[in-house]
C-alpha cells in the first residue's frame, strides 16, 4: 500500500503516515460497527433466556433495531445542564470512546497481519484502558449532579480494584510466553492453548474483566435502582450514545483480548495459509485467522452474556470484599504457583505438542491442586462462620425460652 | 523499526477523537435546540437540588486508591520479571516470590486494620 | 536542525507537557488543575516513546495517569473548601522562583556532561539506521528483567522497592485511620 502511494509521487515518510491513517481508520470503523450487531445480539439472547421474544419489528429478526435506536438518539436534543462544567462535560464521552478504540491498534489477525505489533502489546492495552476511568470521572464531575458524582466514584473504586487481579492474571500468559507482544503470546500457544495450561488465571481474568467492563453481576456503574444510572445520568442524545458505545466496545474488545491471551487468538488449523490477496492495494487478508479470532471472541462473549442474565447484581461492599479478600490473594498465589511449576520442569526441546505436554500437564496439575486448596480454605472458613451463627441462634433461642418460663 | 510502530499509534491518536466527536457534532446540528431553565436543571429524581454537588468524600476512597497505587507499581515491576522469566533460573523465582510476599504482607496489614472494609 | 516527523512530534509533546504544566499552577479550579496535570504527564509519556522507551511510556500512563492521577483527584475530593481557590498565588512567590532557577541550574550542570558523554542521539540513530528491524524494546524489557533478578545486579534494590511500597501502604493506612478515629 505504501508502494502504491510512493508511486503516486508522495515522499516515503508521508506515504507511510498516510498508510497509517488509512489503516487506523479502517480497523477502527470495523470495530465501531461491531457493537451495532452485539447490542442486537445481546437483547435477543437475553430475551430468549428470559422466555421473551426480543426485538423483532425492525428488519428481519429485528436486526435493524439498533440502527433505529441510533437514528432516534441522533435527533434527540443534547441537553447540557445549566450548572455543568461544560468543557469537561463535553470531552468526557469523547475520551471514553477514544480510550477504548485505541486498543484496536494492537489486535493481530494473522501471522504478519496486525495494524501494529507493539513490543509492549498487553501493557499498552492496560495503560490505554486506564484512560477510560478518567473519562468516567470527568463525566461524573462535569455533570454537577450528586448521583453522577457518587456513581463515578463508585465506578472508579470498582475499576481500580479489579484492575489488580486482572493484571495479576495477565502476567501469567506473559510469563509463559516470555513476551508482551500480542503475536508472541499467540505463537507460544501454537501447540497448546494457555487455557488448558493455566485455567485458574483464565478464570480470574474472565471474572475481573467482567467487572472491568462493568457488566452484570458487576454493573454497579449503572445500578438504575440505586443511583438512577450513575455517571451518565445527565447525558442525552449522541453524547449518551457515545458513553454507551464505549462501554459496549470495551465489552467486545475484552473478549477479543481474552481470546488472544488464553485461546490462541487467530491461530487454528490452516490459519497461516488461508490468505486472500486483495487486488490493487496488494494486501494478504488472513480470512481464516479473522474467522477463528471472531469465533473464539464470540464464544467468550456468549459466556459473558450467560453470566450476565443469570446472576443478580452484587452489593458494593461484597464487590470490594470479593476483590480484595479473594481475587487479589488468589491471583498473587496463582502467579507464584504457576511460576514454580513452570520452573521445576526442564525446557522442552521443541514447541511440538508432544514435547510441550509434560510441562503443561505439571502446570495444570499444580492449578488443580491450588483450586483444591482454595476450596478447602473456603470450606473451613464457612464451617467456622456457621458454627458461630449457630451458637448465636442457640443462645438467643435458649434465652427466649428461659424468659418465657 | 520500533518508532514506525509508534507512528501508527500516533496516527491512530490523531484520528480516534473524530469517531466519537463526529456523531456528537452531527447530533448538535440536526437535533432541535430549545433549552429552557426547567430542562437545564440538574436531574435528581424530580426533587429540587439542595446544596453543593462537589462535597467532601470519605477517606475510604483515598485509602483504596493508595492500596491500588502500591499494587499497580508492584505489577509494573513484575512485568520485566515475567518477560525474562523463561531465561532465568530458580533464583529469579525466589527473588520474585520474596518481592510478591513482601507486598502481600502489606495487604494482610490493610485487611487486619479494616482498610478493605467498605462501610 | 533537521526537520523530521520526530522533531514535530517532539515539539508537540514538549509543548503539551510545559503548557499543561503552567495551567496546573495557574488554574483556579483544582479539578481542572489535576486534569491538566494528567495531560502534562501524557506529554511526558510521548517523550518516552520518542526516546524508544515504550515500556516507560506505558508505565507513565498506567501508574501516573491511571493511579496517581486518581489518587490526586480523590485527595482533592477529601479536602472540602478547596474546590474554588480565591488566591492562586501565595506569598512565597519569590522564594519559589529562586528555588526553581537554582534547581534548573543544578540539573543543567550535572546532566549536560552525562548526555554529551553518551553521544546520545547520533549513536542511537546510527544503530537504528544500520539495523532498522532491531527489536530494541523487547531487549530492554528483557534485560531489565534479567538485571533485577541477578545476584550481582539489582536484586537488592528490587526487593527494597517492595519493602518501600509496603511501608508506604502501612504508613498511609496508619495516618488515615488516626485521622478518622
Amino acid at each position: 500500500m505504501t508502494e502504491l502511494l510512493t508511486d503516486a509521487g508522495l515522499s516515503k515518510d508521508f506515504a507511510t503516515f498516510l498508510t497509517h491513517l488509512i489503516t487506523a481508520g479502517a480497523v477502527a470503523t470495523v470495530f465501531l460497527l461491531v457493537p451495532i450487531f452485539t447490542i442486537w445480539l445481546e437483547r435477543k439472547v437475553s430475551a430468549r433466556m428470559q422466555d421473551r421474544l426480543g426485538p423483532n419489528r425492525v428488519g428481519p429478526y429485528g436486526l435493524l433495531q439498533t440502527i433505529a435506536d441510533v437514528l432516534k438518539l441522533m435527533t434527540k436534543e443534547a441537553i447540557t445542564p445549566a450548572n455543568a462544567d461544560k468543557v469537561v462535560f463535553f470531552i468526557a464521552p469523547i475520551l471514553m470512546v477514544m480510550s477504548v478504540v485505541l486498543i484496536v491498534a494492537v489486535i493481530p489477525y494473522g501471522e504478519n497481519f496486525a495494524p501494529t505489533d507493539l513490543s509492549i502489546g498487553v501493557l499498552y492495552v492496560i495503560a490505554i484502558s486506564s484512560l477510560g476511568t478518567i473519562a468516567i470521572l470527568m463525566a461524573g464531575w462535569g455533570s454537577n449532579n450528586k448521583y453522577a458524582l457518587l456513581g463515578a466514584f463508585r465506578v472508579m473504586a470498582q475499576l481500580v480494584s479489579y484492575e489488580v487481579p486482572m493484571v495479576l492474571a495477565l502476567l501469567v500468559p506473559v510469563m509463559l510466553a516470555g513476551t508482551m507482544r500480542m503475536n508472541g503470546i499467540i505463537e507460544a500457544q501454537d501447540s497448546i492453548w494457555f487455557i488448558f495450561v493455566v485455567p485458574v488465571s483464565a478464570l480470574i481474568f474472565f471474572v475481573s474483566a467482567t467487572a472491568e467492563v462493568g457488566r452484570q453481576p458487576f454493573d454497579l456503574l449503572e445500578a438504575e435502582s440505586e443511583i438512577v444510572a450513575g455517571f451518565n445520568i445527565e447525558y442525552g442524545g449522541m453524547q449518551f450514545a457515545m458513553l454507551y458505545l464505549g462501554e459496549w466496545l470495551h465489552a467486545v474488545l475484552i473478549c477479543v483480548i481474552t481470546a488472544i491471551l488464553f485461546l490462541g487468538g487467530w491461530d487454528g488449523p490452516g490459519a497461516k495459509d488461508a490468505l486472500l490477496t486483495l487486488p490493487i492495494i496488494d494486501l494478504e487478508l488472513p480470512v481464516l485467522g479473522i474467522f477463528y479470532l471472531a469465533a473464539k471472541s464470540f464464544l467468550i462473549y456468549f459466556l459473558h452474556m450467560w453470566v450476565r442474565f443469570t446472576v443478580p447484581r452484587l452489593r458494593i461492599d461484597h464487590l470490594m470484599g470479593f476483590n480484595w479478600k479473594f481475587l487479589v490473594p488468589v491471583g498473587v498465589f496463582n502467579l507464584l504457583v504457576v511460576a514454580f511449576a513452570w520452573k521445576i520442569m526442564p525446557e522442552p526441546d521443541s514447541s511440538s505438542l508432544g514435547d510441550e505436554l509434560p510441562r503443561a500437564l505439571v502446570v495444570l496439575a499444580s492449578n488443580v491442586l491450588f483450586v483444591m486448596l482454595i476450596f478447602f480454605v473456603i470450606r473451613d472458613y464457612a464451617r467456622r462462620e456457621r458454627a458461630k451463627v449457630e451458637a448465636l441462634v442457640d443462645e438467643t433461642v435458649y434465652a427466649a425460652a428461659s424468659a418465657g418460663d | 523499526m520500533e518508532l514506525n510502530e509508534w507512528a501508527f499509534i500516533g496516527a491512530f491518536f490523531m484520528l480516534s477523537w473524530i469517531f466519537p466527536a463526529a456523531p456528537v457534532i452531527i447530533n448538535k446540528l440536526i437535533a432541535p435546540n430549545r433549552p429552557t431553565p426547567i430542562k437545564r436543571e440538574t436531574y435528581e429524581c424530580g426533587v429540587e437540588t439542595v446544596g453543593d454537588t462537589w462535597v467532601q468524600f470519605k477517606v475510604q476512597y483515598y485509602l483504596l486508591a493508595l492500596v491500588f497505587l502500591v499494587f499497580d507499581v508492584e505489577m509494573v515491576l513484575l512485568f520485566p520479571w515475567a518477560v525474562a522469566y523463561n531465561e532465568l533460573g530458580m533464583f529469579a523465582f525466589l527473588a520474585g516470590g520474596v518481592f510478591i510476599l513482601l507486598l502481600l504482607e502489606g495487604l494482610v496489614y490493610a485487611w487486619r486494620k479494616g482498610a478493605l472494609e467498605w462501610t | 536542525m533537521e526537520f523530521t516527523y520526530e522533531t514535530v512530534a517532539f515539539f508537540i509533546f514538549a509543548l503539551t507537557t510545559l503548557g499543561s504544566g503552567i495551567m496546573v499552577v495557574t488554574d483556579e479550579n483544582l479539578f481542572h488543575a489535576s486534569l491538566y496535570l494528567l495531560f502534562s504527564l501524557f506529554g511526558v509519556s510521548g517523550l518516552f516513546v520518542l526516546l524508544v522507551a515504550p515500556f516507560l511510556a506505558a508505565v507513565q500512563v498506567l501508574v501516573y495517569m491511571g493511579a496517581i492521577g486518581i489518587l490526586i483527584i480523590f485527595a482533592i475530593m477529601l479536602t472540602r473548601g478547596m474546590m474554588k481557590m480565591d488566591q492562586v498565588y501565595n506569598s512565597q512567590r519569590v522564594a519559589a522562583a529562586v528555588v526553581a532557577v537554582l534547581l534548573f541550574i543544578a540539573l543543567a550542570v550535572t546532566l549536560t556532561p552525562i548526555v554529551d558523554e553518551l553521544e546520545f542521539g547520533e549513536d542511537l540513530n546510527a544503530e537504528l539506521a544500520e539495523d532498522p528491524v532491531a527489536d530494541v524494546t523487547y531487549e530492554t524489557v528483557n534485560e531489565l528483567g534479567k538485571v533485577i533478578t541477578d545476584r550481582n545486579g539489582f536484586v537488592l534494590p528490587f526487593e527494597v522497592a517492595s519493602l518501600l511500597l509496603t511501608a508506604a501502604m502501612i504508613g498511609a493506612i496508619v495516618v488515615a485511620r488516626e485521622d478518622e478515629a
Side-chain angles (χ1 to χ4, degrees):
Chain A
M1 179 127 182
T2 317
E3 287 90 54
L4 201 75
L5 287 167
T6 36
D7 288 346
L10 296 169
S11 80
K12 191 168 174 291
D13 279 356
F14 190 68
T16 316
F17 183 69
L18 218 57
T19 319
H20 283 336
L21 272 185
I22 293 165
T23 319
V27 285
T29 312
V30 169
F31 267 95
L32 281 168
L33 292 177
V34 169
I36 290 183
F37 172 68
T38 52
I39 289 172
W40 168 81
L41 189 77
E42 186 131 356
R43 292 175 70 176
K44 206 74 184 169
V45 170
S46 77
R48 293 297 178 186
M49 282 184 182
Q50 295 159 353
D51 211 8
R52 295 183 284 117
L53 284 176
N56 63 352
R57 289 281 172 250
V58 194
Y61 305 103
L63 257 171
L64 301 176
Q65 183 65 50
T66 320
I67 294 169
D69 290 344
V70 171
L71 287 177
K72 189 200 89 175
L73 280 169
M74 199 69 123
T75 54
K76 288 283 169 188
E77 181 176 354
I79 305 166
T80 309
N83 295 326
D85 193 334
K86 292 191 182 54
V87 181
V88 177
F89 186 83
F90 182 77
I91 294 172
I94 294 172
L95 188 66
M96 178 91 177
V97 175
M98 266 180 84
S99 73
V100 179
V101 165
L102 283 167
I103 298 175
V104 171
V106 291
I107 291 174
Y109 311 96
E111 204 175 5
N112 296 311
F113 196 83
T116 177
D117 199 13
L118 292 181
S119 54
I120 53 155
V122 289
L123 196 61
Y124 169 84
V125 172
I126 303 284
I128 287 295
S129 308
S130 72
L131 295 182
T133 39
I134 295 165
I136 288 173
L137 193 64
M138 282 168 76
W141 168 279
S143 303
N144 193 359
N145 180 315
K146 291 189 194 69
Y147 288 108
L149 196 60
L150 209 61
F153 265 63
R154 274 168 61 160
V155 175
M156 298 282 287
Q158 176 185 334
L159 295 190
V160 148
S161 301
Y162 277 84
E163 204 178 309
V164 176
M166 187 165 125
V167 178
L168 282 173
L170 187 144
L171 272 166
V172 172
V174 169
M175 188 169 76
L176 302 193
T179 175
M180 289 188 274
R181 213 177 265 282
M182 286 286 189
N183 257 338
I185 291 172
I186 291 171
E187 270 156 32
Q189 301 175 69
D190 201 22
S191 48
I192 183 162
W193 291 351
F194 282 157
I195 191 168
F196 300 123
V197 185
V198 283
V200 177
S201 314
L203 196 64
I204 295 172
F205 190 84
F206 180 79
V207 171
S208 45
T210 315
E212 195 70 7
V213 295
R215 322 204 73 196
Q216 279 103 330
F218 304 104
D219 68 330
L220 276 103
L221 11 147
E222 301 272 322
E224 310 85 332
S225 46
E226 296 162 39
I227 45 174
V228 283
F231 66 95
N232 57 24
I233 179 172
E234 290 287 0
Y235 283 90
M238 258 301 138
Q239 286 174 311
F240 170 74
M242 285 303 123
L243 286 174
Y244 214 69
L245 174 70
E247 228 169 83
W248 282 84
L249 189 57
H250 201 181
V252 172
L253 284 173
I254 216 85
C255 295
V256 178
I257 301 286
T258 317
I260 290 170
L261 289 178
F262 295 102
L263 294 180
W266 50 262
D267 209 0
K272 279 175 188 166
D273 308 312
L275 301 173
L276 184 77
T277 311
L278 292 182
I280 307 170
I281 50 171
D282 199 28
L283 203 67
E284 285 189 330
L285 206 63
V287 258
L288 211 52
I290 292 172
F291 170 73
Y292 283 139
L293 185 63
K296 287 168 184 173
S297 309
F298 173 75
L299 188 75
I300 296 162
Y301 198 82
F302 185 76
L303 277 175
H304 271 288
M305 282 195 279
W306 200 353
V307 172
R308 176 172 181 183
F309 301 122
T310 313
V311 187
R313 182 189 300 146
L314 263 71
R315 227 167 64 190
I316 183 134
D317 55 331
H318 290 176
L319 179 99
M320 303 310 275
F322 178 62
N323 179 67
W324 289 107
K325 296 175 185 174
F326 183 75
L327 276 186
V328 171
V330 168
V332 167
F333 282 118
N334 175 53
L335 185 64
L336 286 176
V337 166
V338 172
F340 183 70
W342 191 249
K343 257 296 90 106
I344 53 173
M345 287 297 280
E347 192 100 6
D349 303 325
S350 75
S351 61
S352 70
L353 185 61
D355 283 346
E356 287 265 17
L357 208 56
R359 183 157 73 160
L361 281 177
V362 167
V363 178
L364 184 64
S366 75
N367 264 270
V368 171
L369 280 176
F370 183 54
V371 169
M372 282 166 68
L373 188 74
I374 295 170
F375 280 149
F376 184 76
V377 170
I378 291 177
R379 194 177 58 178
D380 192 51
Y381 175 76
R383 275 196 185 142
R384 269 187 285 126
E385 283 293 299
R386 188 181 302 145
K388 230 186 273 175
V389 172
E390 271 167 6
L392 199 70
V393 169
D394 282 353
E395 216 170 81
T396 352
V397 170
Y398 183 72
S402 54
D405 283 342
Chain B
M1 187 176 125
E2 181 77 27
L3 267 183
N4 196 16
E5 284 175 2
W6 281 94
F8 177 78
I9 303 290
F12 213 147
F13 244 100
M14 287 160 70
L15 206 70
S16 62
W17 66 272
I18 295 173
F19 293 104
V24 169
I25 289 163
I26 294 171
N27 179 216
K28 294 246 178 203
L29 290 178
I30 64 171
N33 187 21
R34 284 183 287 275
T36 61
I38 303 264
K39 205 190 262 178
R40 298 186 66 198
E41 252 178 23
T42 305
Y43 173 74
E44 279 170 12
C45 297
V47 182
E48 264 177 55
T49 310
V50 182
D52 199 1
T53 305
W54 296 320
V55 291
Q56 189 173 3
F57 270 78
K58 287 194 307 179
V59 72
Q60 194 69 52
Y61 285 99
Y62 185 74
L63 273 183
L64 181 84
L66 227 137
V67 175
F68 165 68
L69 172 65
V70 169
F71 270 89
D72 213 28
V73 176
E74 179 212 1
M75 290 180 307
V76 157
L77 283 171
L78 278 175
F79 264 101
W81 174 78
V83 168
Y85 192 70
N86 274 333
E87 300 164 32
L88 301 170
M90 212 56 191
F91 185 74
F93 170 72
L94 285 178
V98 170
F99 182 84
I100 294 168
L101 289 178
L102 269 174
L103 260 152
L104 211 61
E105 183 197 317
L107 183 73
V108 170
Y109 180 84
W111 193 335
R112 285 260 172 266
K113 278 284 167 186
L116 304 179
E117 304 302 327
W118 199 264
T119 46
Chain C
M1 196 165 91
E2 210 185 341
F3 213 63
T4 60
Y5 284 83
E6 280 156 52
T7 6
V8 175
F10 170 77
F11 275 110
I12 291 172
F13 287 130
L15 282 177
T16 312
T17 311
L18 288 178
S20 317
I22 290 166
M23 290 307 290
V24 174
V25 288
T26 52
D27 202 300
E28 284 179 16
N29 189 324
L30 263 184
F31 184 75
H32 288 181
S34 56
L35 289 182
Y36 278 121
L37 178 66
L38 295 182
F39 211 59
S40 175
L41 293 169
F42 185 76
V44 176
S45 84
L47 293 177
F48 276 130
V49 167
L50 287 178
L51 290 171
V52 202
F55 180 69
L56 281 181
V59 168
Q60 176 86 9
V61 172
L62 189 63
V63 173
Y64 281 86
M65 292 181 75
I68 291 180
I70 288 167
L71 190 72
I72 286 172
I73 290 169
F74 277 177
I76 290 171
M77 294 308 218
L78 279 171
T79 45
R80 190 184 210 139
M82 291 277 280
M83 297 307 23
K84 273 268 190 266
M85 290 202 297
D86 314 319
Q87 187 116 34
V88 187
Y89 306 103
N90 63 16
S91 53
Q92 291 158 347
R93 284 159 79 175
V94 182
V98 171
V99 170
V101 169
L102 282 178
L103 183 66
F104 176 77
I105 293 171
L107 284 176
V109 168
T110 45
L111 288 183
T112 315
I114 300 174
V115 175
D116 279 347
E117 212 169 285
L118 287 173
E119 286 172 7
F120 184 61
E122 287 165 36
D123 229 34
L124 189 70
N125 280 336
E127 211 171 283
L128 286 171
E130 233 169 64
D131 189 8
V133 284
D135 201 349
V136 184
T137 328
Y138 172 70
E139 290 303 323
T140 54
V141 177
N142 208 8
E143 288 301 314
L144 194 61
K146 279 182 194 158
V147 165
I148 55 172
T149 50
D150 188 2
R151 232 175 294 225
N152 305 316
F154 293 93
V155 70
L156 195 64
F158 180 59
E159 305 297 347
V160 170
S162 172
L163 202 62
L164 181 74
L165 288 172
T166 313
M169 187 151 87
I170 291 173
I173 289 166
V174 168
V175 171
R177 288 276 130 179
E178 226 166 52
D179 205 47
E180 219 178 35

